[in-house]
Amino acid sequence: MISGLRGVDATGITLGSRKGNKREYTTLKETISPSEFLGNSNIVDAMKAGQKFLVMGHARAATLGSLSLDNAQPIQQGNTIGAHNGTISSLAKGERSDSSVFIEKINQNGL
């Protein structure tokens, strides 16, 4: 089932897989609706390839920050990968979304 209820401005997934004892994370995102995103054969192929221990998805409604791949989620900052729903107005900085700044702060300071 595909839903754009939470937003149709940007869609992304992070896939976690194992290669031996190593964990690898791949984030794929576009500034398109969830139905367009999941209609892309490259996205579907990536989701089907290998065994996954993590599939994290997010559909964004652009409220704070520009409509860009940098603000599309999931967002990776250093060793932190996250997605956020809601609005934290005090964190938005110009073109950067509140979610982008929020994930950056978690990476810098921990939870």
Side-chain angles (χ1 to χ4, degrees):
M1 181 157 101
I2 301 170
S3 172
L5 182 64
R6 291 292 305 150
V8 295
D9 295 323
T11 309
I13 57 170
T14 294
L15 307 169
S17 58
R18 286 191 177 89
K19 289 198 177 178
N21 291 331
K22 186 178 178 185
R23 293 180 180 182
E24 293 186 351
Y25 299 91
T26 302
T27 299
L28 307 166
K29 50 191 181 177
E30 296 289 339
T31 54
I32 57 178
S33 72
S35 58
E36 291 174 287
F37 185 82
L38 293 174
N40 180 322
S41 61
N42 292 330
I43 301 296
V44 173
D45 290 347
M47 291 175 65
K48 289 181 178 179
Q51 283 194 298
K52 307 290 185 269
F53 66 86
L54 170 74
V55 177
M56 177 195 316
H58 190 275
R60 177 176 188 241
T63 53
L64 297 175
S66 65
L67 178 56
S68 67
L69 284 180
D70 288 338
N71 290 329
Q73 299 179 54
I75 295 169
Q76 182 167 1
Q77 293 281 337
N79 292 322
T80 303
I81 301 170
H84 164 257
N85 283 335
T87 303
I88 310 172
S89 299
S90 63
L91 291 183
K93 294 185 178 185
E95 295 292 306
R96 290 189 64 196
S97 70
D98 55 334
S99 299
S100 172
V101 176
F102 182 58
I103 300 301
E104 178 181 66
K105 287 186 175 294
I106 289 172
N107 183 62
Q108 291 172 345
N109 304 312
L111 290 173

